[in-house]
Amino acid sequence: MTFLLFSLLIVQTAFAAVSFTTFNGGSNLIDLGYGITINNKSSLLREWKTAHDSSLPIDFVGTIGATVTYQSSSKYTSGGYRYKAEYVLKCNEDVTAVEVIILVFNVWGQLQSKLSATEIMDMTKNQTYDFSPTWSISSEHKATEALSSLAYINQVRTKSGRIYTADMTAIVAEAQKYAKELTPEVIKDFSN
């Protein structure tokens, strides 16, 4: 009994460092330009969840998530659907690299994509940094079904060389609210 109580206390303590915020990410409409909109008969709204882990030396400012956009082709880029995220990170100590992961879930509650953005740069304690990465989407089908997302900081390297990693127990517990079959291994090995 004492061992079980001690084990529960450890799990609760581990979860206490991670909290989640939720935000309405807006409509799931996708504007293609020229008056053409995909999902134009839908009232679904995107849900963004963000993990805030107080044990890491860097955190998101606010709640972030993935949206879907369409970019026409140009002289310098190929056209197509893109995931896009905009976020601000604030350092609690000097950081030299950070990896952000955004899990995207479709309208059916299945893990659709795992977006990864690694920023390798010197980031100073008490400063904020803005990022706006994009990722290609392989098909219109995926673009139309993308709905909810869960963002977390996966890894951080400090200037002193220490490497921190995400509390995957807390991340998976939150992700299972969308897709019950998810495990740390499934998330780690998931490829779009």
Side-chain angles (χ1 to χ4, degrees):
M1 180 72 172
T2 304
F3 176 73
L4 178 61
L5 185 58
F6 181 70
S7 297
L8 288 174
L9 183 59
I10 290 173
V11 170
Q12 287 179 338
T13 303
F15 277 174
V18 181
S19 63
F20 294 87
T21 56
T22 304
F23 186 76
N24 174 343
S27 171
N28 74 329
L29 301 178
I30 305 168
D31 182 9
L32 302 181
Y34 305 106
I36 302 169
T37 304
I38 293 181
N39 294 340
N40 62 341
K41 295 181 181 177
S42 173
S43 63
L44 290 173
L45 299 174
R46 298 186 192 284
E47 180 178 77
W48 295 348
K49 284 197 178 198
T50 301
H52 300 278
D53 188 340
S54 62
S55 69
L56 299 178
I58 193 169
D59 194 11
F60 295 103
V61 175
T63 304
I64 68 127
T67 59
V68 176
T69 62
Y70 181 80
Q71 180 179 346
S72 298
S73 60
S74 71
K75 182 178 177 180
Y76 301 104
T77 62
S78 60
Y81 295 95
R82 309 261 194 281
Y83 293 112
K84 182 178 180 181
E86 295 180 356
Y87 53 89
V88 178
L89 296 174
K90 183 172 183 181
C91 300
N92 298 319
E93 65 179 272
D94 293 347
V95 167
T96 57
V98 60
E99 179 188 28
V100 169
I101 300 287
I102 303 174
L103 303 177
V104 178
F105 300 90
N106 65 19
V107 296
W108 312 113
Q110 300 163 327
L111 180 58
Q112 175 175 295
S113 295
K114 178 177 139 184
L115 312 175
S116 175
T118 299
E119 306 297 342
I120 301 173
M121 61 183 279
D122 291 343
M123 293 178 262
T124 308
K125 180 179 179 176
N126 297 325
Q127 297 297 309
T128 58
Y129 298 88
D130 297 12
F131 300 98
S132 54
T134 61
W135 302 265
S136 294
I137 300 178
S138 59
S139 69
E140 183 174 310
H141 175 76
K142 273 189 160 185
T144 60
E145 289 191 356
L147 188 63
S148 302
S149 61
L150 170 59
Y152 63 96
I153 295 171
N154 192 45
Q155 300 181 92
V156 182
R157 182 184 179 99
T158 64
K159 189 171 184 175
S160 67
R162 183 168 179 196
I163 297 175
Y164 293 81
T165 58
D167 176 355
M168 288 309 294
T169 304
I171 301 301
V172 170
E174 197 66 24
Q176 286 175 339
K177 293 177 181 177
Y178 295 108
K180 295 191 183 321
E181 74 283 354
L182 289 180
T183 64
E185 295 77 27
V186 169
I187 292 173
K188 180 182 176 193
D189 298 335
F190 188 85
S191 63
N192 302 326

